[in-house]
């Protein structure tokens, strides 16, 4: 459980480092730092659990490709687009799991919740909706707003939305487990 806490802290730290680097050095430096930190995080996760879900591998590929394209071209549209692509990827992955009645959510959050039953399908539906909404919101903000507004939206807005969903789901899970 401590290992999972360290992994979650490092995942959260990546967006904080991205934000601080953007504020101090700009979007190109922030994109480069995102690539380096993502590779570090990927390596750390592999060293700790000795296995990585395909979702982690695809996420790393999307981050590295699109953030690197921003650094090489000097155009921030690529780093902004990777957020949409990640959210669409997770939306499609979870939607596939729902349709197949399989627990694909475990590839994202691991074994943090009791497995099995309708609880996973319902939780997956909520996460699918969140990822889809975040993809749409990212597209609107990245195309209509400044880079600064986009940075604040992914740093704070997306994290607040995710936090709210987690709080809602904790209540949902407690209620579900109490019924059993």
């Amino acid at each position: 459980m401590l290992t999972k806490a360290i992994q979650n802290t490092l995942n959260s730290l990546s967006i904080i480092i991205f934000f601080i680097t953007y504020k101090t050095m700009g979007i190109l430096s922030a994109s480069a730092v995102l690539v380096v930190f993502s590779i570090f995080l990927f390596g750390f996760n592999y060293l700790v659990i000795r296995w990585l879900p395909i979702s982690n591998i695809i996420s790393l590929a999307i981050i590295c490709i699109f953030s690197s394209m921003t650094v090489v071209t000097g155009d921030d549209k690529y780093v902004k687009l990777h957020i949409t692509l990640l959210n669409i990827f997770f939306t499609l992955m979870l939607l596939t799991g729902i349709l197949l009645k399989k627990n694909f959510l475990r590839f994202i959050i691991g074994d943090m919740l009791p497995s099995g039953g309708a609880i996973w399908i319902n939780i997956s539906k909520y996460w699918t909706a969140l990822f889809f909404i975040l993809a749409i919101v990212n597209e609107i903000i990245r195309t209509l707003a400044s880079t600064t507004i986009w940075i604040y939206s992914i740093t704070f807005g997306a994290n607040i939305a995710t936090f709210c969903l987690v709080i809602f789901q904790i209540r949902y899970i407690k209620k579900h487990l109490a019924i059993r």
Side-chain angles (χ1 to χ4, degrees):
M1 196 62 154
L2 178 62
T3 303
K4 196 63 173 169
I6 292 169
Q7 288 172 310
N8 289 336
T9 301
L10 286 173
N11 285 332
S12 298
L13 190 59
S14 66
I15 194 71
I16 293 167
I17 290 172
F18 179 77
F19 177 77
I20 291 169
T21 306
Y22 168 75
K23 293 299 281 179
T24 58
M25 297 167 35
I27 192 68
L28 296 181
S29 295
S31 298
V33 167
L34 182 61
V35 170
V36 171
F37 195 77
S38 295
I39 292 169
F40 163 77
L41 186 59
F42 185 85
F44 175 81
N45 284 335
Y46 181 76
L47 287 174
V48 169
I49 61 177
R50 295 280 181 217
W51 174 80
L52 291 169
I54 190 72
S55 61
N56 288 33
I57 297 166
I58 292 172
S59 294
L60 179 67
I62 290 171
I63 290 167
C64 288
I65 290 167
F66 285 85
S67 295
S68 296
M69 287 172 66
T70 291
V71 172
V72 170
T73 66
D75 190 344
D76 65 2
K77 72 179 173 190
Y78 299 108
V79 73
K80 292 177 180 179
L81 183 60
H82 97 271
I83 299 294
T84 301
L85 294 175
L86 284 173
N87 283 312
I88 288 171
F89 165 70
F90 288 123
T91 297
L92 293 174
M93 182 179 82
L94 291 176
L95 190 58
T96 302
I98 291 166
L99 294 172
L100 296 175
K101 298 189 183 332
K102 301 282 185 187
N103 176 12
F104 287 1
L105 186 60
R106 75 179 193 278
F107 294 122
I108 299 172
I109 64 172
D111 297 324
M112 294 174 20
L113 298 172
S115 61
I119 189 170
W120 276 106
I121 296 295
N122 290 335
I123 290 172
S124 291
K125 288 177 184 177
Y126 294 126
W127 280 101
T128 302
L130 176 69
F131 287 129
F132 184 70
I133 290 166
L134 289 175
I136 291 170
V137 169
N138 189 69
E139 277 304 290
I140 292 168
I141 293 173
R142 87 171 181 89
T143 55
L144 299 177
S146 69
T147 298
T148 301
I149 291 172
W150 176 79
I151 292 282
Y152 278 93
S153 76
I154 63 159
T155 303
F156 301 109
N159 284 320
I160 290 169
T162 303
F163 179 75
C164 289
L165 179 62
V166 168
I167 295 300
F168 167 77
Q169 288 192 341
I170 288 170
R171 293 179 63 200
Y172 173 79
I173 291 165
K174 282 183 178 180
K175 179 182 170 186
H176 178 79
L177 293 178
I179 292 172
R180 282 186 177 185

